[in-house]
Amino acid sequence: MELLNKEYLKVEAVNKRFDKRTILSNIKFSVCKGEFICIVGSSGCGKSTLLRIISGLDTDYEGAIILNKKQVRKTSKNVGYIFQENRLFPWLTVEENVAFSLDKVNRIERKYRVNEAIKMVGLDSAKKQYPKTLSGGMAQRANIARTLVNKPEILLLDEPFGALDAFTKINLQEKLCDIRSKEGTTMIMVTHDIEEAVYLADRIIILDKNPGGIKKIINVELPRPRNRNSEYFNNLRKEIYEYFFETKEIVEEYNI
Ligand SMILES: Nc1ncnc2c1ncn2[C@@H]1O[C@H](COP(=O)(O)OP(=O)(O)O)[C@@H](O)[C@H]1O
Ligand SMILES: [Mg+2]
């Protein structure tokens, strides 16, 4: 997929404090339209805080978020947000949950859009089911459908597959790639899974801790679909671990 519009989303010198503690320090980067960005960093370094700021959920910070040349000052359905835990209403079916999120549209359009979103995540056969009857992977699919139904230009994902088993996770990673190539959705995903970042991202942003600045931005120049066992893939994975632990010795000692 060719990436154009290099300044589609701009994170401009973001600083964030909680009380007197600086959590994010001078975070700046630009995202192209249609790009897949993964943000990795250790627990507590400010990944979720940064995502909330980009989404417009948190407006108490220094700096600016510019989307399509306009400053983001509040949340919008154009920017979808997916949390790690699903936030489905237990008393509604999958289909009803997805419909509930949809902006006001007429009945025919409603039915079409709901079906389309459910199909996109491959959940057609479960659309009449209630959340408690779904597996973790299915619930997260429903959660994603609920966001996709409003056709967001950007999806922000906060460790969305963190609680899933490895097979389900791989399956959902494929789904995200499909959605991106069909819809051209720009994706910014926070993950602590380095393999996931190398598999999905066009660029990986590694965050530092105390305060959380950008440690490194890595371009992943691998064709898609990617081979998780290729030498380049494994070298890149190792390189990122090294940034995390800062010493090659630890990587070698634990043989990661
Ligand atoms: N509402 C809040 N009030 C005070 N401190 C907070 C608040 N939210 C997050 N923090 C602190 O900010 C830091 C970054 O949090 P977070 O963005 O959730 O990290 P991450 O997602 O990388 O694990 C943590 O030290 C956390 O305790
Ligand atoms: Mg977090």
Side-chain angles (χ1 to χ4, degrees):
M1 194 161 113
E2 202 185 351
L3 297 173
L4 301 166
N5 192 354
K6 291 204 174 347
E7 306 230 303
Y8 172 61
L9 174 78
K10 290 201 286 178
V11 176
E12 291 187 338
V14 165
N15 287 292
K16 168 77 184 174
R17 271 184 226 102
F18 279 120
D19 307 317
K20 293 221 167 60
R21 203 155 59 99
T22 301
I23 303 294
L24 296 170
S25 166
N26 197 24
I27 303 283
K28 2 180 205 194
F29 59 90
S30 295
V31 180
C32 304
K33 191 162 171 51
E35 193 173 15
F36 205 130
I37 299 280
C38 280
I39 299 173
V40 299
S42 54
S43 177
C45 76
K47 303 181 295 297
S48 298
T49 305
L50 177 58
L51 219 54
R52 287 170 57 84
I53 288 173
I54 295 173
S55 74
L57 270 169
D58 182 347
T59 52
D60 180 22
Y61 62 93
E62 285 167 23
I65 305 297
I66 312 288
L67 174 61
N68 261 335
K69 302 199 169 74
K70 281 197 213 99
Q71 188 163 354
V72 173
R73 296 180 193 276
K74 56 179 170 49
T75 57
S76 110
K77 293 256 162 114
N78 196 25
V79 180
Y81 200 111
I82 294 173
F83 299 88
Q84 178 169 351
E85 73 288 357
N86 80 69
R87 299 192 168 192
L88 301 169
F89 296 118
W91 58 87
L92 298 179
T93 63
V94 167
E95 191 175 45
E96 289 161 351
N97 263 289
V98 174
F100 186 87
S101 301
L102 184 57
D103 284 338
K104 258 200 157 3
V105 291
N106 69 44
R107 206 166 51 86
I108 296 165
E109 167 103 10
R110 178 173 215 84
K111 194 162 182 206
Y112 177 78
R113 293 271 292 274
V114 169
N115 278 335
E116 190 187 40
I118 290 176
K119 201 176 270 164
M120 240 187 280
V121 298
L123 215 53
D124 309 52
S125 58
K127 63 186 182 188
K128 304 281 180 208
Q129 286 180 225
Y130 285 90
K132 68 169 188 296
T133 70
L134 304 174
S135 66
M138 288 161 91
Q140 194 53 298
R141 279 170 195 253
N143 209 22
I144 295 172
R146 219 162 64 137
T147 306
L148 289 178
V149 76
N150 286 307
K151 296 188 172 293
E153 278 186 46
I154 303 190
L155 262 192
L156 304 176
L157 306 109
D158 195 352
E159 307 201 18
F161 309 145
L164 304 178
D165 66 84
F167 294 108
T168 309
K169 189 187 259 201
I170 286 174
N171 211 297
L172 286 187
Q173 288 167 355
E174 294 304 335
K175 266 278 157 298
L176 272 192
C177 291
D178 288 353
I179 292 163
R180 186 177 83 131
S181 59
K182 274 197 207 107
E183 304 291 305
T185 316
T186 306
M187 309 242 181
I188 304 181
M189 180 197 260
V190 165
T191 176
H192 55 244
D193 180 336
I194 294 175
E195 177 180 314
E196 177 164 83
V198 178
Y199 188 75
L200 293 174
D202 296 309
R203 276 188 303 153
I204 300 174
I205 297 178
I206 304 176
L207 288 188
D208 232 343
K209 203 175 176 179
N210 296 328
I214 292 182
K215 192 182 241 180
K216 177 87 183 164
I217 298 185
I218 291 179
N219 289 321
V220 186
E221 280 154 8
L222 276 171
R224 295 171 192 269
R226 292 178 174 165
N227 174 358
R228 295 174 202 259
N229 294 315
S230 74
E231 199 180 336
Y232 184 102
F233 193 103
N234 282 310
N235 286 342
L236 198 55
R237 181 162 54 185
K238 200 164 171 193
E239 189 185 331
I240 296 167
Y241 269 112
E242 284 171 3
Y243 278 109
F244 256 108
F245 293 110
E246 282 177 342
T247 66
K248 286 193 177 202
E249 291 74 43
I250 294 179
V251 175
E252 275 151 22
E253 186 182 337
Y254 291 96
N255 198 18
I256 12 190

